[in-house]
Amino acid sequence: MRYYKPHEIARELHISTSALRHYESWGVVPIPERAANGYRLYTVVHLAYFRCLRTMFAGFGVAVTCDVLRHIQKSDMDS
């Protein structure tokens, strides 16, 4: 499985690695596993959430986007 470093995702999305940590703390992306050294192990699923998050912000705003992504993580698609 391919793991992404936080700076790889941040660079692709033109955001800071701090923003990634904030999104994680908001509960809008799945919590990543950690390597033995404590580094986050982001996967292609995390990358998809981050891309979705950034894209949805522009059209739906932060509140709606965060609400939707929390429901998706719970497999609550009807909400």
Side-chain angles (χ1 to χ4, degrees):
M1 174 181 298
R2 163 113 162 70
Y3 292 109
Y4 295 88
K5 294 177 183 174
H7 75 269
E8 292 174 316
I9 294 174
R11 186 180 317 129
E12 178 180 325
L13 299 176
H14 306 287
I15 59 175
S16 69
T17 55
S18 295
L20 300 178
R21 288 191 303 273
H22 287 299
Y23 300 154
E24 187 180 321
S25 73
W26 296 349
V28 296
V29 297
I31 301 297
E33 291 182 38
R34 299 277 185 146
N37 60 9
Y39 290 160
R40 289 167 173 82
L41 298 173
Y42 290 125
T43 65
V44 68
V45 171
H46 294 97
L47 180 56
Y49 268 91
F50 287 124
R51 283 179 178 154
C52 181
L53 182 75
R54 297 297 298 175
T55 302
M56 287 182 66
F57 277 171
F60 298 99
V62 174
V64 171
T65 299
C66 291
D67 192 40
V68 167
L69 291 179
R70 286 185 194 114
H71 285 293
I72 289 172
Q73 285 186 75
K74 296 176 190 174
S75 299
D76 183 12
M77 304 308 178
D78 293 335
S79 293

